[in-house]
Amino acid sequence: MPFPRSGRAFQSLSAAAMSALLLASAMKHFRDPGFFRQVVPDYLCLEDTHRQGLGDGGATASGSVPATSTAAFDGGPEPGRRRPLAVMTREEWIAVSGLLELAAAVGILVPLTRKAAATALTAMFIVFLAGHADALRRAYSNEGTPLQRKVHTLRLPLQGPLIVWAWSLRKPALASWPWQ
């Protein structure tokens, strides 16, 4: 007895599942941005995280960076060193990545944009590897906690399946299952 679903239906279901995951993650970026703070590498951030506190990234209670921040010229242990990749604050990076995930969630659902969205999503997940690796490095430093070590040790390897899954959505759907 043939299975009633075609390859196209399976790919649409896979795209919908990926879209739901991305939508949930995008919503979390805006509801709980603190969850993503450790995943944004310091070298991308304008605020001086080393001198103003590793835990809060230099933000005040209102979420703004204090006026005494040295912006892109902070260098942590090397105060004169410029961070050439520091173009936004940590909060801005979190918001932008949330917006990118939201756009990918929509783009992956539309068959006409699926290949382009899946390609961009694959690239985004690959770029996110740097943040996860940096968070893992910091978790195992002297400032890291046992909970951070557990979380980031589990979080980094999850990027691999996400990359493969996003890449698989680029391929055209098969006309039918192999056993039909």
Side-chain angles (χ1 to χ4, degrees), residues 146-163:
L147 178 61
Q148 289 172 339
R149 290 180 185 109
K150 287 177 188 173
V151 167
H152 295 298
T153 298
L154 294 173
R155 216 169 172 184
L156 178 64
L158 288 176
Q159 289 302 110
L162 289 173
I163 291 167

Side-chain angles (χ1 to χ4, degrees), residues 27-105:
M27 288 173 29
K28 188 156 180 74
H29 275 77
F30 298 103
R31 282 186 294 151
D32 184 16
F35 181 77
F36 299 95
R37 285 179 94 17
Q38 292 180 342
V39 183
V40 181
D42 291 339
Y43 56 82
L44 292 178
C45 300
L46 289 175
E47 69 260 13
D48 183 353
T49 58
H50 290 286
R51 278 183 264 160
Q52 296 175 15
L54 288 169
D56 66 359
T60 62
S62 65
S64 63
V65 177
T68 57
S69 173
T70 54
F73 296 98
D74 71 324
E78 303 171 33
R81 187 178 57 120
R82 179 169 170 75
R83 291 181 179 175
L85 299 176
V87 294
M88 292 188 282
T89 65
R90 189 172 308 275
E91 289 74 21
E92 290 169 337
W93 279 113
I94 292 168
V96 166
S97 63
L99 290 173
L100 290 173
E101 287 183 355
L102 182 61

Side-chain angles (χ1 to χ4, degrees), residues 4-21:
R5 297 190 190 262
S6 70
R8 180 168 283 135
F10 180 76
Q11 187 185 40
S12 292
L13 181 63
S14 180
M18 174 66 83
S19 181
L21 179 72

Side-chain angles (χ1 to χ4, degrees), residues 129-148:
L129 280 172
H132 289 290
D134 189 60
L136 185 64
R137 177 193 59 79
R138 283 184 278 128
Y140 280 93
S141 71
N142 291 337
E143 292 85 23
T145 66
L147 178 61
Q148 289 172 339

